Amino acid sequence: MNSKFKEALTYAFRLLSLKDYTEKELAFKLKKRFPEIDCEKVLTHLKENGYISDYRTGFNYAIAKMEKGWGRRKIHFYMRQKGISEEVAERILMEIEFDYAFIKRTLEKRFGKNLKTHKNRVTRFLQQRGFSFTEIHNLISGKI
């Protein structure tokens, strides 16, 4: 291993010690800092040794955003923005047991117990959070 490769690997380890990165995000940071080396070799080394995983990063991201009250559509969109492939994003969202307790508490705090009286406002709020019309209808009617 040459010294630039070791330096890039050390930099990648330092970044990964702070938070999870997708391959795309880490490649961008490595290319920005080390334009003269082949970043793919560093990424391959990290991937083979289990230091980076788009699945693990996406799963943790989806759980964190679900707990903030985001819907599946918004989570899916931002996972794609982070560089997670369509197949991996779909698989993650299918595997997650979606918990609506977080959004229910937010709705109750913001609009009160009777959501039907503020139906238009609640609908807009939930659409911005990335919920489907079926989910919105079920949340307002109390089915979920």
Side-chain angles (χ1 to χ4, degrees), residues 72-125:
R72 291 179 192 270
R73 295 159 106 189
K74 189 171 183 176
I75 293 170
H76 184 269
F77 176 78
Y78 280 97
M79 279 198 298
R80 295 289 293 135
Q81 291 290 315
K82 289 174 78 59
I84 297 171
S85 71
E86 181 74 29
E87 299 80 34
V88 172
E90 287 292 327
R91 193 173 95 199
I92 289 168
L93 290 173
M94 294 302 282
E95 290 177 3
I96 289 178
E97 181 71 33
F98 211 79
D99 186 11
Y100 292 97
F102 297 103
I103 195 65
K104 284 181 183 178
R105 279 196 300 270
T106 304
L107 289 173
E108 191 174 304
K109 189 160 95 174
R110 195 167 175 142
F111 299 106
K113 293 258 186 216
N114 189 2
L115 298 177
K116 290 180 182 179
T117 57
H118 304 286
K119 186 176 179 182
N120 291 338
R121 290 178 56 212
V122 172
T123 301
R124 278 193 309 275
F125 178 77

Side-chain angles (χ1 to χ4, degrees), residues 1-137:
M1 282 194 237
N2 64 22
S3 65
K4 281 293 185 184
F5 179 81
K6 284 183 181 179
E7 195 177 327
L9 197 57
T10 303
Y11 177 68
F13 282 136
R14 190 163 18 104
L15 289 174
L16 290 169
S17 71
L18 301 173
K19 75 172 208 169
D20 280 342
Y21 286 92
T22 62
E23 271 186 68
K24 179 182 173 183
E25 293 171 322
L26 198 55
F28 178 77
K29 288 193 172 282
L30 286 170
K31 287 175 185 171
K32 189 175 176 184
R33 178 93 179 242
F34 301 99
E36 68 279 356
I37 69 161
D38 183 18
C39 296
E40 291 303 316
K41 289 180 183 177
V42 176
L43 292 172
T44 303
H45 178 78
L46 292 170
K47 214 180 339 177
E48 286 173 353
N49 292 305
Y51 293 110
I52 58 173
S53 166
D54 281 355
Y55 177 81
R56 183 180 61 229
T57 303
F59 190 85
N60 292 338
Y61 182 81
I63 294 293
K65 296 308 178 185
M66 180 188 67
E67 291 174 353
K68 287 181 86 173
W70 286 20
R72 291 179 192 270
R73 295 159 106 189
K74 189 171 183 176
I75 293 170
H76 184 269
F77 176 78
Y78 280 97
M79 279 198 298
R80 295 289 293 135
Q81 291 290 315
K82 289 174 78 59
I84 297 171
S85 71
E86 181 74 29
E87 299 80 34
V88 172
E90 287 292 327
R91 193 173 95 199
I92 289 168
L93 290 173
M94 294 302 282
E95 290 177 3
I96 289 178
E97 181 71 33
F98 211 79
D99 186 11
Y100 292 97
F102 297 103
I103 195 65
K104 284 181 183 178
R105 279 196 300 270
T106 304
L107 289 173
E108 191 174 304
K109 189 160 95 174
R110 195 167 175 142
F111 299 106
K113 293 258 186 216
N114 189 2
L115 298 177
K116 290 180 182 179
T117 57
H118 304 286
K119 186 176 179 182
N120 291 338
R121 290 178 56 212
V122 172
T123 301
R124 278 193 309 275
F125 178 77
L126 291 172
Q127 281 176 333
Q128 291 171 348
R129 295 277 179 121
F131 288 91
S132 69
F133 285 109
T134 306
E135 290 172 314
I136 293 170
H137 175 72

